[in-house]
Amino acid sequence: AAKQQPEDREGLAKAADVDLHGEAMRQQLADLKKHMEAAKIEDKNCKHKAVQVVVDMAMKVLIASSASNSFFALVVFATGHVPDKIIGSTTEICFRLPYAMLMSLFVPTCEYYLESARHGETFLRDTVKVVYLSLDMSLAWAWKDVVNSMRGFTILESKFFMYLAVAL
C-alpha cells in the first residue's frame, strides 16, 4: 500500500496539471473570442465610415449644386430676365459672379464659427455637420459655374488664355 501512494500522488499531480492546462486553454479561447468580436465590431465600423464618406460627399454636391442654381435663378428672376436666354450667353457671368463672391466671403466665416458648434450627438449637430462639410464644395461649385459661364469669352482670340487667366 505504501508503494501505491506515490503512484496516486503522481496520478493526482498529472490530473491537476491537465486541469491547469485545460483552464489555461479555456481562458485563451475566451480571449480569442473577445478579440474576434472586437475585430467584427471594428470591421463593421469601417464599413459604416466608408458609407458615411460616400453619403457626405453626395450631400456636399447636392447642397452645393442646389444652392448655386437657386441663387442663379433668384438673381435672374429678380432682375426680370428669362433663365433660358441667359444660360450660355456672355452675360451669364454677371449672374454667376455675385454668388461666387458672396460664397468667397461667407464660407471662411461660417467655417470659423461652425467648427466649435459640432460637438454632441443631436439632430442639430448632424445638420450643422452637413452644412459645415458642404461649405467648401459650395465655394468650389460657385466658381465652377462662373468659369463655365465664361465659355464665350476669349483673350487674344484663344479660350486657352481665358482659362489660364481664370486659373491664376
Side-chain angles (χ1 to χ4, degrees):
K3 288 186 179 181
Q4 288 181 343
Q5 280 185 336
E7 288 176 3
D8 288 341
R9 287 182 193 161
E10 285 180 22
L12 289 174
K14 285 182 183 179
D17 194 35
V18 168
D19 284 342
L20 279 175
H21 287 297
E23 184 60 34
M25 290 176 72
R26 281 191 286 278
Q27 184 62 38
Q28 288 176 345
L29 183 59
D31 290 344
L32 184 59
K33 284 182 181 179
K34 286 180 186 176
H35 289 297
M36 287 177 61
E37 288 174 9
K40 285 180 184 178
I41 291 171
E42 185 177 334
D43 183 49
K44 189 175 183 179
N45 287 340
C46 287
K47 288 177 183 176
H48 175 74
K49 286 185 184 217
V51 170
Q52 184 178 2
V53 166
V54 170
V55 170
D56 285 348
M57 181 56 75
M59 288 301 295
K60 286 180 191 181
V61 171
L62 181 67
I63 289 171
S65 174
S66 299
S68 179
N69 290 332
S70 297
F71 191 86
F72 173 72
L74 181 69
V75 170
V76 168
F77 286 122
T79 58
H81 292 85
V82 178
D84 294 338
K85 293 182 180 177
I86 300 295
I87 295 174
S89 70
T90 56
T91 57
E92 183 180 0
I93 190 171
C94 297
F95 296 93
R96 298 279 186 189
L97 192 59
Y99 179 71
M101 302 287 277
L102 180 67
M103 291 306 289
S104 294
L105 298 172
F106 180 71
V107 167
T109 305
C110 282
E111 284 182 338
Y112 176 77
Y113 287 109
L114 289 179
E115 178 63 27
S116 62
R118 290 183 32 202
H119 303 292
E121 296 294 331
T122 64
F123 179 75
L124 180 60
R125 184 211 51 96
D126 291 340
T127 304
V128 169
K129 179 182 177 188
V130 168
V131 169
Y132 177 78
L133 291 175
S134 69
L135 289 175
D136 291 332
M137 183 65 74
S138 296
L139 177 62
W141 205 276
W143 283 103
K144 175 203 73 77
D145 286 343
V146 167
V147 171
N148 282 344
S149 68
M150 299 175 81
R151 60 183 160 257
F153 291 94
T154 60
I155 295 178
L156 300 175
E157 298 180 17
S158 173
K159 288 186 178 187
F160 171 77
F161 293 115
M162 183 63 206
Y163 289 128
L164 182 63
V166 169
L168 296 175

